[in-house]
Amino acid sequence: MSTSSRDSLVLGRVIGDVVDQFSPTVALQVSYNGRRLMNGADLRPSAVAARPRVEVGGTDLRQCYTLVKLVTDIPGTTDVGYGREVICYESPRPPAGIHRVVFVLFRQMARGSVDVAPLLRHNFCTRNFAVDHGLGSPVAAAFFTCQPEGGTGGRRLVIRPPRTTPPAP
């Protein structure tokens, strides 16, 4: 992982709020609808309604203090489609304000080592989950932010089609 990518995890408070300091050893690529996400991108919930494609090896955990999806037993150098889905994907729907959606990747020491699903999606703690399942430190992480449609505040990624006619005088 590049230094700027790790810096964005610190600036976005992923390192600190969600996970402790770690040294990334795996490249993590997240894309929605064929568009690769950069750390810290700001998206609308409608842009992330579809399941993301995550290309890595290990265990995929996503957290915004609510567990969005949990996939285990992913063979190295593949994507989450090859893993075992323990908690199915639920599109983030922030009721108000700006919310982080965090992807944290851990290396499992053995297949099936994460055999019990968390009881609740809400109040999910990545640190506790990693300790409970012997996952150690993360090997990669990525994040984006989103807010409700029509929400206010923060940065926005607005994609507008190019103008086809000149503006009226």
Side-chain angles (χ1 to χ4, degrees):
M1 178 182 279
S2 71
T3 303
S4 64
S5 182
R6 184 168 39 193
D7 290 347
S8 66
L9 293 172
V10 172
L11 290 172
R13 299 196 45 84
V14 170
I15 293 177
D17 288 352
V18 180
V19 295
D20 295 323
Q21 184 70 36
F22 69 97
S23 297
T25 58
V26 174
L28 177 65
Q29 294 181 352
V30 180
S31 59
Y32 277 93
N33 300 323
R35 293 189 62 169
R36 185 173 173 202
L37 295 182
M38 302 304 288
N39 267 343
D42 189 37
L43 304 173
R44 298 289 189 172
S46 60
V48 294
R51 291 176 180 222
R53 177 181 170 92
V54 182
E55 299 174 10
V56 288
T59 300
D60 174 32
L61 301 176
R62 278 180 251 166
Q63 170 183 316
C64 196
Y65 300 109
T66 297
L67 181 62
V68 176
K69 180 176 180 172
L70 176 63
V71 178
T72 67
D73 302 332
I74 305 167
T77 69
T78 63
D79 66 38
V80 295
Y82 292 92
R84 182 174 67 93
E85 188 173 73
V86 177
I87 301 285
C88 65
Y89 179 71
E90 185 175 287
S91 178
R93 292 182 208 100
I98 298 172
H99 292 259
R100 270 182 314 205
V101 177
V102 180
F103 300 78
V104 182
L105 183 68
F106 292 94
R107 178 169 284 124
Q108 286 177 250
M109 294 300 122
R111 290 181 74 74
S113 62
V114 180
D115 54 352
V116 178
L119 296 175
L120 300 170
R121 288 180 185 262
H122 298 289
N123 299 319
F124 180 81
C125 179
T126 302
R127 287 181 180 99
N128 292 347
F129 186 82
V131 168
D132 291 348
H133 296 281
L135 298 175
S137 294
V139 295
F143 78 103
F144 66 86
T145 60
C146 68
Q147 60 183 313
E149 301 292 340
T152 60
R155 299 168 297 164
R156 289 195 180 93
L157 174 65
V158 179
I159 302 172
R160 294 188 175 108
R163 258 187 231 218
T164 55
T165 58

